[in-house]
Amino acid sequence: MNDMTPTREQRTAALEGMGCKRKRVEDARFTQGKGNYVDDLKLPGMLHGDFVRSPHAHARVKSINSEEALKVPGVLAVITAETLKTVNLAWMPTLAGDVQMVLADGKVLFQNQEVAFVVATDRYAADDGINKVVVEYEPLPVVIDPFKAMDKDAPVLREDLAGKTTGAHGPRKHHNHIFEWAVGDKDLTDAAFRKAEVSIKEMISYHRTHPSPLETCQCVCSFDKIRGELTIWGTFQAPHVIRTVVSLIAKLPEQKIHVISPDIGGGFGNKVGAYPGYICAAVASIVTGKPVKWVEDRIENLTATSFARDYHMTAEIAATKDGKVTGLRVHVLADHGAFDACADPSKWPAGFFNIVTGSYDFPTAHLVVDGIYSNKAPGGVAYRCSFRVTEAAYCIERAMDILAQKLKMDPAELRLRNFIKREQFPYHSALGWEYDSGDYHTAMKKMMETVKYAELRKEQAEKRAAFKRGETREIMGVGVSFFTEIVGAGPSKNCDILGIAMFDSCEIRLHPTGAGIARVGSKSTGQGHETTWAQIIATEIGIPADNIMVEEGNTDTAPYGLGTYGSRSTPVAGAAIAMAARKIKAKAQMIAAYKLEVHEGDLEWDIDGFRVKGLPEKSMSMKDICWAAYNSVPPGMEPGLEAVSYYDPPNMTYPFGAYICVMDIDVDTGVYKVRRFYALDDCGTRINPMIIEGQVHGGLTEAFAIAMGQEIRYDETGNVVTGSFMDFFMPTAVETPHWETDFTVTPSPHHPIGAKGVGESPNVGGVPAFSNAVNDAFSFLGSTHIQMPHDYWRNWKAAKSLGVFAA
């Protein structure tokens, strides 16, 4: 009989809890083509909407004539700003405290801006209709170069702000200026630079790019005139926020609004904010009394929805001759486009950019960020990063390499010399953050030993000598990157959306048979929440993960949550899940004590149930406790076994990593080959190693794309010249390098399970690793800094500018 009793290891394995490489349960439907996406939704009588968009980057709208469009078979209505004004919906608030046109009101401010919304019986009729709307434009001077936006003679872009000398974030010093944000000690930092033995200064641009998720932004809105209720299905990373925003804009009671996010094909920050398509589809449904679907195409997604980056950072480091950093000074010119629609749910207009001190022990630092308007699409989302953290990491990692070059010091050695030490945690940075935990030296040394760093540098020296002798036309770069990310947007002292604190939530309800359902305020866009959330619960309360159903994305059933982006799911929602599970566990212990006729304190947890201390044979499994919760609870206790938790974290979490990229570049063609890429991540407690590896692979692929060619580029008249996948670099399996992953584990001391988050980290650390590899390759030829992206053409131009071709 004893032989049939499962061992502790078998009982633990049966749970498939934290640390288990559990297969993604979502993939059963995705791999069979059974996912449920917005465009799969077909409702009776459903109409379709499409936009008339501006060909101009800046122009006055003289007139809009829809007479011919309304003659097109199937076209039912053409909505313009004048239509929206009748219901006070011509403008909508942004998450950054600005306002944004829903449809062009008097003028357009970027190419492909929404001008009119055509509603028709099908998409083909809608498309025919938009081609029949006649718009008369008066072109106006264009501002594309952010460095010219605040010139004295720069055209006024936002005429609605005329005379306003202050904005949501303080004084404005020019009609195209949005804000100035300063943090740090200017006097101490200036003093450090006056005393510096060595200093560097470089303008480091992080070009404009785009998240370009596999599925574009889309929605279906259905208004029930009898009930006065609006149901919206959409690609929303934060469905509860969308419900609140719609209520505020449309003046509908929030309980009458139902928002549902079904399966989503990637988000990466692109699906956090509210877009004109959502508002127009809702208005069209209210007007027609029928469901209205809006689905954008790829060109619309790339050119009109939220961009990322476009930060131009002048970085200065003060240091001693032996490489000890003594001060950091950074100025950023931030191009926000036509409206300040940054999805920065924080109390600061530049998000968490003040993590720019990185992993280094800077005694003092000072940061100034100036935001400006331009004739580009609005946005500024956290494309696979926490808010402006990728820009900050790129800035400091390039600057550290530039300092190493000036000091003639190895980049890895410079970093090791300046890392925050393990015993300094919790560490208070010069720009105001409290880093929770870290062991940077261990991670860096593990990376260097694994890749045989010293041998790589020896090989590089030999290849450089061969190049100078004319024996090869190939140069070798070794790009080192060490990043600290700040994630887990949630502490109410730091973060809010429209005044709502950025907590997150979980409701767990266990059934009599020992199964259960967890409803969570997060929303997966591919991260595998249905798999990992069940694993947390399995470990916490001893119910197998396969017996836990996870539900997200329905505002009618899930508790209010702030959604998924900025690697906040595990740090905030994951914590809420653990805390809700612990509430259940506490009640379960009382039930077990009652049934086993002992005091609660006499029980101890044992994998999947409780046992009496000293009497292990006297125990009760969680499955049995679930049954008892519905028929024999202690006197005075309510039946059932369920709990809700709203978690407002006390601090952010700080994952970190050590990355290295080895690259060879042919100077005659600019063609590069990524020979090796090694990524070591420390995300604290690891919930599912397989999913972590998948997240790292995906993030590194996006980092590769951004660093090596992915760019939203405009010509001088404001035309988007990379508005389709013909020109916008989207790497396939052919171009993507092989990824080598590794890890260390430094748990977060304040998180209930010690987890820190990992989904954004590879993008944060990957981009500077690639760029440092390219810059390291060219450095011995006299180059200090080559701006991204590093495509073949730009690599060839860099080689040409450095005189490597014969005259």
Side-chain angles (χ1 to χ4, degrees):
M1 193 72 177
N2 290 336
D3 293 340
M4 301 298 292
T5 303
T7 64
R8 291 179 60 80
E9 290 75 17
Q10 288 171 332
R11 288 162 59 202
T12 300
L15 294 178
E16 290 192 297
M18 291 193 294
C20 171
K21 292 184 178 181
R22 185 184 184 218
K23 290 184 178 180
R24 286 169 39 113
V25 297
E26 300 90 332
D27 291 347
R29 64 180 185 274
F30 293 150
T31 56
Q32 297 179 72
K34 300 298 182 181
N36 179 32
Y37 298 92
V38 172
D39 204 25
D40 293 324
L41 186 64
K42 295 174 176 61
L43 300 177
M46 186 169 68
L47 306 177
H48 297 258
D50 204 352
F51 282 109
V52 176
R53 295 180 179 272
S54 170
H56 301 281
H58 194 201
R60 192 129 357 243
V61 178
K62 304 292 286 183
S63 66
I64 301 174
N65 189 325
S66 58
E67 291 179 6
E68 292 302 313
L70 290 169
K71 295 177 183 177
V72 173
V75 172
L76 303 178
V78 177
I79 296 172
T80 66
E82 295 305 311
T83 314
L84 297 178
K85 285 178 183 178
T86 63
V87 287
N88 199 31
L89 289 175
W91 292 70
M92 63 181 181
T94 71
L95 296 179
D98 199 358
V99 291
Q100 176 178 345
M101 298 177 197
V102 176
L103 294 172
D105 186 10
K107 66 188 301 191
V108 292
L109 289 166
F110 61 94
Q111 188 183 58
N112 272 358
Q113 182 176 343
E114 300 86 352
V115 176
F117 190 68
V118 175
V119 184
T121 53
D122 59 58
R123 289 192 71 180
Y124 301 99
D127 187 66
D128 290 341
I130 64 173
N131 290 312
K132 291 294 184 179
V133 176
V134 178
V135 184
E136 182 185 355
Y137 297 97
E138 177 190 327
L140 298 171
V142 171
V143 175
I144 293 298
D145 185 346
F147 292 94
K148 296 179 180 179
M150 291 196 289
D151 286 354
K152 188 176 181 180
D153 58 350
V156 177
L157 303 186
R158 292 290 300 277
E159 293 173 358
D160 60 297
L161 299 179
K164 293 185 179 180
T165 56
T166 60
H169 303 288
R172 300 173 62 225
K173 55 190 178 186
H174 185 277
H175 51 257
N176 292 331
H177 186 244
I178 305 172
F179 64 82
E180 179 184 272
W181 181 56
V183 62
D185 192 317
K186 184 179 187 303
D187 293 340
L188 274 178
T189 304
D190 289 347
F193 275 87
R194 286 193 296 270
K195 297 174 185 176
E197 297 173 346
V198 179
S199 65
I200 60 103
K201 182 177 182 179
E202 189 68 48
M203 205 285 287
I204 300 167
S205 283
Y206 200 137
H207 57 285
R208 177 175 284 230
T209 185
H210 194 280
S212 54
L214 182 64
E215 176 195 35
T216 60
C217 298
Q218 42 200 260
C219 71
V220 175
C221 296
S222 180
F223 185 70
D224 185 326
K225 289 190 174 183
I226 304 299
R227 295 177 177 271
E229 296 181 3
L230 177 65
T231 302
I232 306 173
W233 294 263
T235 50
F236 308 132
Q237 291 181 240
H240 283 97
V241 174
I242 293 295
R243 186 183 70 185
T244 300
V245 169
V246 171
S247 178
L248 293 171
I249 294 173
K251 308 303 181 189
L252 288 173
E254 195 163 358
Q255 80 275 11
K256 297 279 190 177
I257 303 170
H258 315 283
V259 177
I260 301 167
S261 291
D263 290 328
I264 296 179
F268 314 116
N270 188 234
K271 296 169 181 174
V272 174
Y275 292 117
Y278 307 157
I279 306 300
C280 289
V283 170
S285 181
I286 292 170
V287 170
T288 63
K290 294 183 178 182
V292 176
K293 178 184 282 188
W294 168 68
V295 176
E296 66 178 2
D297 64 26
R298 180 58 59 187
I299 291 176
E300 290 174 310
N301 181 258
L302 286 172
T303 60
T305 63
S306 292
F307 73 94
R309 320 304 192 241
D310 218 342
Y311 257 39
H312 308 277
M313 307 164 287
T314 302
E316 301 175 74
I317 296 178
T320 62
K321 289 180 180 177
D322 62 355
K324 186 65 178 174
V325 296
T326 58
L328 175 69
R329 191 160 54 197
V330 178
H331 177 266
V332 179
L333 187 64
D335 189 340
H336 284 233
F339 308 101
D340 185 7
C342 282
D344 281 343
S346 72
K347 298 183 186 300
W348 305 294
F352 304 146
F353 189 84
N354 49 329
I355 195 74
V356 71
T357 51
S359 311
Y360 312 107
D361 187 14
F362 280 96
T364 184
H366 187 247
L367 164 68
V368 178
V369 182
D370 278 299
I372 58 96
Y373 291 120
S374 70
N375 289 122
K376 300 177 186 175
V381 296
Y383 171 11
R384 199 150 191 160
C385 73
S386 196
F387 312 101
R388 300 298 187 181
V389 172
T390 292
E391 292 93 321
Y394 178 63
C395 178
I396 188 61
E397 287 306 291
R398 278 298 304 129
M400 289 297 282
D401 259 34
I402 292 166
L403 176 62
Q405 185 178 344
K406 185 167 186 176
L407 291 168
K408 295 182 172 56
M409 183 180 291
D410 183 87
E413 176 58 34
L414 178 66
R415 286 168 169 81
L416 286 166
R417 193 165 296 189
N418 288 286
F419 279 153
I420 302 162
K421 297 180 177 63
R422 182 171 56 186
E423 58 270 21
Q424 289 178 271
F425 291 93
Y427 174 82
H428 292 267
S429 77
L431 292 179
W433 294 115
E434 182 185 299
Y435 293 27
D436 57 356
S437 65
D439 190 353
Y440 299 165
H441 289 85
T442 296
M444 187 68 150
K445 288 175 181 177
K446 183 176 183 181
M447 179 270 284
M448 294 172 72
E449 291 168 4
T450 303
V451 302
K452 297 186 168 85
Y453 183 77
E455 293 182 20
L456 287 173
R457 288 300 184 188
K458 182 180 178 182
E459 179 191 355
Q460 183 185 49
E462 292 169 352
K463 285 199 167 186
R464 287 178 171 180
F467 183 89
K468 289 180 177 179
R469 293 193 300 267
E471 296 171 4
T472 181
R473 298 294 286 169
E474 197 172 74
I475 55 179
M476 174 182 170
V478 179
V480 175
S481 167
F482 196 101
F483 67 92
T484 294
E485 193 182 7
I486 177 172
V487 303
S492 54
K493 62 185 178 182
N494 299 329
C495 307
D496 68 81
I497 292 181
L498 300 176
I500 302 170
M502 289 189 66
F503 56 83
D504 227 295
S505 58
C506 175
E507 173 196 87
I508 302 173
R509 181 175 301 162
L510 296 184
H511 308 315
T513 55
I517 183 169
R519 294 187 171 104
V520 190
S522 54
K523 175 56 196 159
S524 177
T525 58
Q527 294 90 343
H529 289 175
E530 293 173 42
T531 304
T532 52
W533 290 169
Q535 290 183 256
I536 295 174
I537 296 169
T539 294
E540 289 288 340
I541 62 176
I543 298 291
D546 281 347
N547 291 351
I548 301 294
M549 176 183 289
V550 175
E551 183 183 289
E552 298 177 308
N554 188 329
T555 60
D556 285 352
T557 57
Y560 201 106
L562 277 293
T564 293
Y565 38 87
S567 211
R568 71 182 301 273
S569 293
T570 297
V572 191
I577 293 165
M579 298 304 285
R582 290 174 190 182
K583 290 181 181 180
I584 286 177
K585 194 180 200 177
K587 184 175 180 180
Q589 184 170 358
M590 289 187 279
I591 295 172
Y594 174 69
K595 297 294 288 183
L596 294 170
E597 299 179 328
V598 297
H599 188 273
E600 293 168 39
D602 293 330
L603 294 178
E604 61 185 2
W605 180 250
D606 183 34
I607 301 174
D608 54 7
F610 289 96
R611 68 183 180 187
V612 178
K613 296 175 183 176
L615 295 171
E617 68 279 2
K618 195 173 182 181
S619 63
M620 191 171 187
S621 70
M622 272 300 295
K623 184 174 182 180
D624 291 338
I625 294 171
C626 287
W627 186 262
Y630 287 87
N631 62 48
S632 53
V633 297
M637 177 183 282
E638 293 182 358
L641 203 51
E642 58 186 66
V644 179
S645 175
Y646 288 82
Y647 184 78
D648 183 359
N651 190 11
M652 314 290 282
T653 60
Y654 296 79
F656 58 91
Y659 289 6
I660 192 164
C661 174
V662 183
M663 185 183 296
D664 299 304
I665 302 173
D666 185 320
V667 296
D668 293 320
T669 62
V671 173
Y672 58 82
K673 296 175 184 175
V674 178
R675 191 197 312 173
R676 187 176 187 183
F677 198 105
Y678 170 92
L680 181 150
D681 280 281
D682 194 313
C683 60
T685 302
R686 293 160 60 84
I687 300 170
N688 185 319
M690 182 178 67
I691 283 184
I692 289 173
E693 186 172 3
Q695 288 288 296
V696 173
H697 282 203
L700 287 175
T701 302
E702 288 176 308
F704 168 66
I706 293 167
M708 307 310 290
Q710 195 174 85
E711 179 184 21
I712 296 294
R713 192 166 69 252
Y714 293 77
D715 66 18
E716 65 278 2
T717 62
N719 292 309
V720 183
V721 297
T722 53
S724 77
F725 286 164
M726 293 285 288
D727 304 292
F728 184 82
F729 178 43
M730 184 58 62
T732 67
V734 174
E735 297 90 3
T736 302
H738 171 75
W739 310 121
E740 186 179 345
T741 63
D742 205 346
F743 65 94
T744 56
V745 178
T746 311
S748 170
H750 65 78
H751 190 278
I753 62 173
K756 294 188 173 188
V758 73
E760 324 289 7
S761 295
N763 204 334
V764 174
V767 170
F770 283 112
S771 187
N772 281 346
V774 173
N775 278 280
D776 182 65
F778 283 106
S779 63
F780 81 107
L781 298 173
S783 171
T784 300
H785 177 65
I786 300 167
Q787 303 284 11
M788 290 194 297
H790 303 295
D791 53 34
Y792 296 167
W793 169 243
R794 288 178 173 90
N795 289 342
W796 180 86
K797 287 207 302 182
K800 182 181 179 183
S801 70
L802 293 169
V804 300
F805 303 131

